[in-house]
Amino acid sequence: MIDIDLALKDLPAWAAYLTAAMVFIGALLSLIGAIGLVRLKSFYERVHAPTLGATLGTGFILVASMICFTVLRGRLSVHEILIAVFLTITTPVAMMLLVRAALYRDRVENNREVPGAGKYKKAEAAVRSQAGESETADRT
Amino acid sequence: MRRILPHPLMSLAIFVMWLLLNQSVSPAALTFAAVLALGGGWMMTTLEQTGPRIRRPWTIIKLAGIIFIDIVHSNIAVAKIILRPSSRRGAPGFMAVPLDIRNPYGLATLAIVITSTPGTIWTNFSYSSGMLLIHVLDLQEEQLWIDTIKNRYERRLMEIFE
Amino acid sequence: MRFLPLPPARPLDMPFLVLDWSLFIAQLFLGLAMACAAYRLIFGPRAQDRILGLDTFYVNAMLLLLTYGIRIASATYFEVALIIALLGFVGTAALSKFLMRGEVIE
């Protein structure tokens, strides 16, 4: 499915403005997320920053691409939904795995900022299971 | 019906995915998508997993809308914290949430919802104590987060999956 | 398939100019975002920071390819973006698993 004869300047004005705005907002959100990755102080704070780009940032750019190609080709072009679905499922799973690994490392090294070292009394019960129950917890 | 399509939702997902990848609804693409969908469903039976039983489509649509609004809100909140760190009122920290939901599919959905909302991350869940550990970027009042998760997401997920 | 950005055909075509500039600025933003991610990838104090940087890096690279695909009006880059999205996840998951247990395959 390679379209050779498509050209961006054939896009009608409304679609051009809409695509321009959505791509711009999406890229801006991704950039803010990446800036957070540099600026925030600790690892557990930094984990939250890239979620900006992975949710709304990607969403805006994908919708822009859908609008642009649907109008250019004159027929429905929604295969970008695939990327959206894959990314919505995979990014949280990857982040959860990463945070669990980081938590495990910090607890092995007796870092006082994480649950398991006494600072978070109520969270103890949820953490204590990590060593013993990791087989069942891994499934979720 | 159960013999031909043991996992109807899975088969439907494969069918739609194949058509989207090919970007066509020609007879050839439709036929091959149907073959893949049937084969995928049969392959799932060899894993001996029971599929989810999903009810109340209206609640699903409502929950999707709520999640979308929450993602937009927390995107703005996290962007503000990153650009102006002084605007943050709470401190980052871990907190425990007691959960009532036990359905594995419901828990998996809740995990994806919580993690893909910027500002909160699902860390660990214990089946035995029913305690969920999350990390929150802007933790002001624990009860507020517990109420949000339980009333907005968990109650509806239990309606859908259980 | 064109590899170079299109030169504006009619210099005063307002919507096209706006779109072209917006796409250019978006590419700049995404490039900067990749630079931020690369900073964490290289200087991240600990291994988990580096993996987080890698994850952000591939998501932004995927977005950059999509933006470029819109700019030259070619859907070919969609497949590349899809593959990056899938393989990037496998990479992050395997590396996290490695941090947790010290081996990828248990």
Side-chain angles (χ1 to χ4, degrees):
Chain A
M1 274 282 162
I2 301 170
D3 323 80
I4 299 166
D5 51 343
L6 294 184
L8 209 54
K9 61 179 190 305
D10 297 335
L11 213 60
W14 64 271
Y17 287 132
L18 200 58
T19 311
M22 293 196 113
V23 167
F24 183 80
I25 297 172
L28 187 65
L29 276 172
S30 305
L31 179 61
I32 292 174
I35 289 174
L37 196 64
V38 174
R39 272 183 92 172
L40 292 173
K41 294 284 182 293
S42 75
F43 170 77
Y44 296 102
E45 285 174 77
R46 287 197 280 266
V47 174
H48 298 286
T51 324
L52 251 67
T55 54
L56 268 196
T58 315
F60 270 113
I61 291 183
L62 286 176
V63 172
S65 168
M66 270 187 233
I67 294 170
C68 173
F69 284 110
T70 301
V71 174
L72 271 185
R73 286 185 181 144
R75 64 182 172 83
L76 205 60
S77 163
V78 285
H79 56 293
E80 282 86 354
I81 291 178
L82 275 181
I83 291 186
V85 169
F86 284 142
L87 222 62
T88 335
I89 297 172
T90 57
T91 313
V93 175
M95 285 298 129
M96 271 181 265
L97 277 173
L98 188 56
V99 172
R100 285 166 61 95
L103 194 62
Y104 173 77
R105 290 187 95 195
D106 279 339
R107 287 182 58 227
V108 167
E109 292 161 12
N110 274 322
N111 188 331
R112 291 192 58 80
E113 288 306 305
V114 301
K119 186 180 169 187
Y120 295 90
K121 283 280 184 309
K122 272 160 88 182
E124 291 284 305
V127 181
R128 217 174 296 130
S129 66
Q130 198 181 15
E133 265 192 18
S134 59
E135 272 67 43
T136 48
D138 273 345
R139 271 193 284 140
T140 51
Chain B
M1 193 61 196
R2 278 259 155 224
R3 284 180 63 102
I4 304 170
L5 278 175
H7 294 275
L9 280 174
M10 176 92 182
S11 297
L12 182 70
I14 294 174
F15 190 79
V16 174
M17 188 192 82
W18 188 256
L19 291 184
L20 281 175
L21 268 178
N22 275 295
Q23 301 179 52
S24 87
V25 281
S26 65
L30 284 171
T31 315
F32 204 70
V35 171
L36 276 181
L38 288 176
W42 282 331
M43 274 172 75
M44 276 299 285
T45 53
T46 60
L47 292 176
E48 295 177 359
Q49 287 272 343
T50 50
R53 230 181 294 152
I54 295 174
R55 274 175 291 177
R56 311 205 187 195
W58 181 238
T59 316
I60 297 177
I61 297 169
K62 232 160 110 182
L63 183 63
I66 289 172
I67 291 166
F68 179 74
I69 292 168
D70 285 359
I71 285 181
V72 173
H73 275 301
S74 43
N75 259 286
I76 296 167
V78 172
K80 263 187 200 157
I81 288 176
I82 290 172
L83 294 177
R84 290 209 0 255
S86 55
S87 70
R88 175 154 69 181
R89 275 167 297 178
F94 289 94
M95 60 171 286
V97 182
L99 288 184
D100 297 316
I101 189 168
R102 286 294 179 278
N103 182 297
Y105 292 99
L107 280 169
T109 316
L110 187 62
I112 288 179
V113 170
I114 289 178
T115 310
S116 56
T117 315
T120 48
I121 272 199
W122 173 290
T123 314
N124 201 16
F125 176 71
S126 149
Y127 268 104
S128 56
S129 61
M131 283 299 233
L132 161 70
L133 182 72
I134 60 173
H135 186 267
V136 183
L137 182 58
D138 191 6
L139 187 60
Q140 292 173 44
E141 207 176 331
E142 291 197 6
Q143 196 56 43
L144 212 69
W145 286 104
I146 293 176
D147 290 344
T148 310
I149 289 170
K150 289 193 86 70
N151 295 333
R152 278 175 91 84
Y153 310 136
E154 190 195 10
R155 188 167 52 80
R156 294 189 172 87
L157 282 172
M158 283 169 87
E159 277 175 29
I160 294 168
F161 285 103
E162 284 177 4
Chain C
M1 197 159 56
R2 284 174 291 254
F3 286 100
L4 289 171
L6 288 165
R10 285 165 291 165
L12 283 173
D13 190 358
M14 219 12 218
F16 175 70
L17 274 183
V18 169
L19 179 56
D20 202 44
W21 270 99
S22 163
L23 284 170
F24 174 70
I25 294 170
Q27 283 179 324
L28 212 66
F29 280 179
L30 290 169
L32 279 175
M34 281 172 79
C36 291
Y39 171 82
R40 272 285 159 240
L41 187 62
I42 297 166
F43 298 107
R46 305 204 59 200
Q48 49 260 45
D49 291 294
R50 291 172 206 268
I51 298 177
L52 188 63
L54 182 68
D55 194 77
T56 318
F57 193 84
Y58 87 74
V59 170
N60 282 308
M62 188 203 73
L63 292 179
L64 190 59
L65 273 173
L66 279 174
T67 320
Y68 187 65
I70 297 177
R71 199 166 180 207
I72 67 168
S74 153
T76 320
Y77 288 89
F78 161 76
E79 266 106 47
V80 186
L82 191 64
I83 289 170
I84 290 182
L86 288 178
L87 286 187
F89 163 66
V90 176
T92 311
L95 285 169
S96 310
K97 211 71 188 156
F98 182 76
L99 274 195
M100 191 103 150
R101 306 282 157 95
E103 51 194 311
V104 178
I105 299 166
E106 295 178 34

